[in-house]
Amino acid sequence: MDMKNNMIEDLMISNSTLAIELTINDKHYKLQVNPMEKLVHILRDQLNFTGTKKSCEIGRCGSCSVLIDGELANSCLLMAYQVNGKSITTIEGIGIITHDEVQRAFLKEGGFQCGYCTTGMIIAVESLLKKNLNPTEADIKEALSGNLCRCTGYGGIIRAIQSVATSD
Ligand code: FES
Ligand code: FES
C-alpha cells in the first residue's frame, strides 16, 4: 500500500468525507473534507480565506500560495487531507492589525495594479525573507519564479522587496 493510501486510512472516514484537524493563522480547525477537495477550495469556499486566490489550478501562477509549516506551497496542488495536522498561514494571517512591512512596501513602490497576484507574491516574499533578509536581485527573481504577474512588469515588485530587504 502506498503512502497516500496509508494517510487516508489513518484518517477517520465518515460518509465519504475525511476528518482533519489543522491550524490556520494560529486558530485550530476541525473539518470534514471530501478526499478530492483541494486545499485552495477549502480555504476559500469553506473557511472564507478569500485572500488566497485561484487561477491556473495547476501550480503555474502562484496566486494560491500559502505557507505550510513555514514552507511556501501552492494550495491548488494539495488535497485538503494532505495538510491534516499542519499549520497554515494565509495572507489573512500576515499583518492582521496593520499592513506589514512588505505590504506597505508594495503600496509605496507600486508593486501591484489589479492585485490578483499580490497576495501570493507577498506570501512568497515572506517565505524568502524568513530565510534570507538581504536577498540579491537574482535571489528575489528566483524566489518569485513561481508567481506570475500579468500587470506590473515586476519592476515595482522587485523594488518593494529590495526596499524592505535593505531597510534594516
Ligand atoms: S492557482 Fe495554484 S499555482 Fe495557479
Ligand atoms: S497586479 Fe495584476 S496580475 Fe499582478
Side-chain angles (χ1 to χ4, degrees), residues 3-23:
M3 198 168 78
K4 185 174 164 188
N5 285 334
N6 279 334
M7 287 178 70
I8 293 175
E9 279 208 340
D10 285 346
L11 298 166
M12 184 180 79
I13 301 177
S14 161
N15 294 330
S16 302
T17 63
L18 302 170
I20 66 169
E21 296 189 29
L22 68 168
T23 302

Side-chain angles (χ1 to χ4, degrees), residues 53-64 74-77:
K53 304 302 182 193
K54 60 179 178 181
S55 181
C56 71
E57 298 204 49
I58 54 170
R60 295 277 172 83
C61 73
S63 67
C64 65
N74 290 327
S75 60
C76 73
L77 293 183

Side-chain angles (χ1 to χ4, degrees), residues 59-80:
R60 295 277 172 83
C61 73
S63 67
C64 65
S65 299
V66 295
L67 300 177
I68 300 180
D69 288 345
E71 295 294 324
L72 185 63
N74 290 327
S75 60
C76 73
L77 293 183
L78 289 163
M79 296 303 171

Side-chain angles (χ1 to χ4, degrees), residues 112-118 148-152:
F112 60 89
Q113 288 177 27
C114 81
Y116 201 83
C117 70
T118 308
L148 301 182
C149 177
R150 302 299 299 269
C151 302
T152 67

